[in-house]
Amino acid sequence: MQFDFLIKGGRVIDPASGLDAQRDVAIAGGRVAAIDAAIDAGAAGEVVDARDCIVTPGLIDLHSHVYWGGTSLGVDADRLAAKSGTTTFIDAGSAGAGNFLGFRRHVIERSKVRILAYVNISFAGIFGFAKTVSVGECSDLRLCEPRETVAAVREHADVVVGVKVRSGKHAGGTSGIAPVDLALEAADKAGLPLMAHIDEPPPGRSEVLPRLRRGDILTHCFRPFPNAPVFASGAVRPDMRLARERGVIFDIGHGMGSFDFEVAKAMLAEGLAPDVISSDVHLYCVDGPAFDMLVCMSKLMALGMPLVEVLRAATVNPAEAIARPELGALKVGGIGDVAVLRLQQGRFTFVDAVGASLVADQRLVSNGIVIGGKWWPNEAPDHNETERFEAHAHHTHVDVAARHFGR
């Protein structure tokens, strides 16, 4: 056979090249072997029927937490991959210099899907995160050691894409802006971008934003009050515009508490769409409100963001943000990461991080993914989980972990 398998009859949308047309995509040896209007099915060992589907580069989740079993917030990337159309998970600082080797050996190297990572400026990574326990990893500045961070970045350079810092009242306690400055020192020395999380002040958004450089990532860019990017009137704050003009990358990072429909509406109305859509999926939002990449992308579509731009923000844009041009695109000879998606029609209720609801008439769902030269179908039951979302505020960590991983 000329090809290992063929994805046939789908609408191929590749924002990197501008392609949006019905095409067949052939895969051989883990790479894209051909993209054409009609490829003979007899030339492939296996054929995937993509009629009425969207065929797009495998999705890249720029902000996830997948150090499962090693941190309290980690989820299993392999369990989410086919269901969410995601072929690359980028862990956003679950591990720091003190435990990155364990993350690599026990999770990254054993995963079927691709995992890359930011190294947390905190030596211990995110170690105290649960509904009933919240100990910010940057609350003790003795843990924020840039020399150790840079050493970890260099030791694991093949899988590291940047430095991560979580600043704010929850993540940093009374440390203020100091963790951001220390993380910037480390990122500068390593020659990599910084991903900066902001939660509730201090520090305020106005302290963090001016420090960020071109190519640095502001995650939780549509977060709710306080530290929201818009005034109560809905007008976008000037420091957000200046950051966009300077080349700071705006990333959704939905998560448990960082995406507000009203803020998103205001930002989109002012022409400030996110550069990147990411889930910030972790154990305390994988069952809602974030769920996964496709739910987050569907929310942006429901808010008026066009399909092609939503796909751009989940493929080529995050690939560019981490300087991995081999990802996020469909091109002959390129890596054969593919997502086969459907626009499911119906009535869907989405919930944001503050409990507001949004009703939509369509959502993106996955038929499956191609990664490592293999077709991986989505075998998860379609129960429209967004309709059944219930917060589990009073459950212990053991209860939540058992529900996700089993006992």
Side-chain angles (χ1 to χ4, degrees):
M1 293 293 179
Q2 185 178 356
F3 308 119
D4 296 331
F5 58 89
L6 180 65
I7 303 170
K8 194 163 184 63
R11 176 189 175 187
V12 175
I13 303 179
D14 178 28
S17 65
L19 177 62
D20 184 351
Q22 183 171 322
R23 293 287 187 270
D24 295 345
V25 179
I27 306 293
R31 294 194 169 267
V32 178
I35 302 174
D36 210 330
I39 300 174
D40 180 15
E46 180 182 356
V47 177
V48 175
D49 184 358
R51 287 174 296 177
D52 301 320
C53 293
I54 297 163
V55 179
T56 196
L59 305 183
I60 301 170
D61 195 344
L62 186 69
H63 185 153
S64 65
H65 292 282
V66 291
Y67 187 5
W68 78 276
T71 58
S72 61
L73 77 168
V75 294
D76 185 347
D78 284 348
R79 287 184 58 175
L80 293 177
K83 176 178 179 290
S84 66
T86 306
T87 55
T88 300
F89 289 83
I90 303 168
D91 186 275
S94 298
N99 56 351
F100 198 91
L101 180 61
F103 181 29
R104 176 171 190 145
R105 292 284 188 265
H106 301 309
V107 176
I108 294 176
E109 293 178 356
R110 300 183 184 195
S111 176
K112 294 178 183 177
V113 296
R114 183 181 300 102
I115 297 177
L116 304 171
Y118 293 88
V119 178
N120 200 311
I121 187 63
S122 171
F123 187 75
I126 303 174
F127 61 84
F129 189 102
K131 285 283 189 179
T132 50
V133 176
S134 180
V135 180
E137 70 275 11
C138 289
S139 60
D140 187 336
L141 289 177
R142 291 176 299 177
L143 291 170
C144 299
E145 173 45 68
R147 284 165 291 200
E148 294 285 359
T149 304
V150 171
V153 168
R154 290 174 175 169
E155 177 68 18
H156 303 283
D158 57 325
V159 296
V160 169
V161 298
V163 175
K164 171 70 180 297
V165 63
R166 295 202 317 142
S167 67
K169 181 173 68 175
H170 300 298
T174 59
S175 297
I177 198 66
V180 176
D181 287 339
L182 291 166
L184 275 166
E185 288 249 12
D188 175 65
K189 185 69 174 177
L192 290 173
L194 176 72
M195 175 183 276
H197 151 119
I198 55 172
D199 53 61
E200 297 185 11
R205 180 206 62 266
S206 58
E207 292 180 84
V208 176
L209 276 178
R211 288 168 158 81
L212 300 185
R213 311 158 298 170
R214 176 176 294 276
D216 287 340
I217 299 110
L218 173 69
T219 194
H220 312 319
C221 67
F222 287 1
R223 65 157 284 110
F225 169 85
N227 259 347
V230 298
F231 293 107
S233 65
V236 175
R237 294 179 183 271
D239 52 12
M240 292 293 287
R241 291 193 181 278
L242 290 172
R244 167 59 65 85
E245 291 167 6
R246 197 166 67 251
V248 173
I249 295 167
F250 288 1
D251 166 47
I252 289 297
H254 188 305
M256 183 171 62
S258 301
F259 183 74
D260 185 317
F261 286 146
E262 293 304 314
V263 170
K265 289 175 187 175
M267 292 285 283
L268 292 170
E270 293 289 324
L272 289 175
D275 298 297
V276 175
I277 298 170
S278 71
S279 68
D280 184 15
V281 65
H282 55 71
L283 193 59
Y284 292 92
C285 67
V286 70
D287 294 325
F291 293 101
D292 59 37
M293 277 289 284
L294 291 178
V295 172
C296 296
M297 293 162 67
S298 297
K299 290 179 181 182
L300 268 297
M301 289 177 59
L303 290 165
M305 197 168 166
L307 170 64
V308 173
E309 294 309 306
V310 165
L311 291 172
R312 185 186 309 278
T315 56
V316 63
N317 283 5
E320 291 177 351
I322 59 170
R324 299 285 179 125
E326 70 275 16
L327 303 176
L330 289 178
K331 54 188 175 184
V332 175
I335 291 175
D337 286 5
V338 187
V340 179
L341 311 176
R342 285 180 290 112
L343 271 175
Q344 187 178 57
Q345 306 300 315
R347 184 186 186 280
F348 308 101
T349 302
F350 298 118
V351 179
D352 68 6
V354 297
S357 296
L358 178 68
V359 177
D361 59 8
Q362 62 180 358
R363 63 169 287 186
L364 286 164
V365 296
S366 170
N367 275 19
I369 59 174
V370 177
I371 189 167
K374 298 186 183 301
W375 168 243
W376 192 348
N378 172 23
E379 298 176 339
D382 183 10
H383 291 323
N384 193 13
E385 68 275 20
T386 62
E387 299 288 343
R388 299 180 294 104
F389 167 58
E390 294 182 9
H392 37 72
H394 302 297
H395 292 187
T396 67
H397 172 71
V398 171
D399 294 332
V400 178
R403 183 173 61 214
H404 188 70
F405 301 116
R407 296 188 183 276

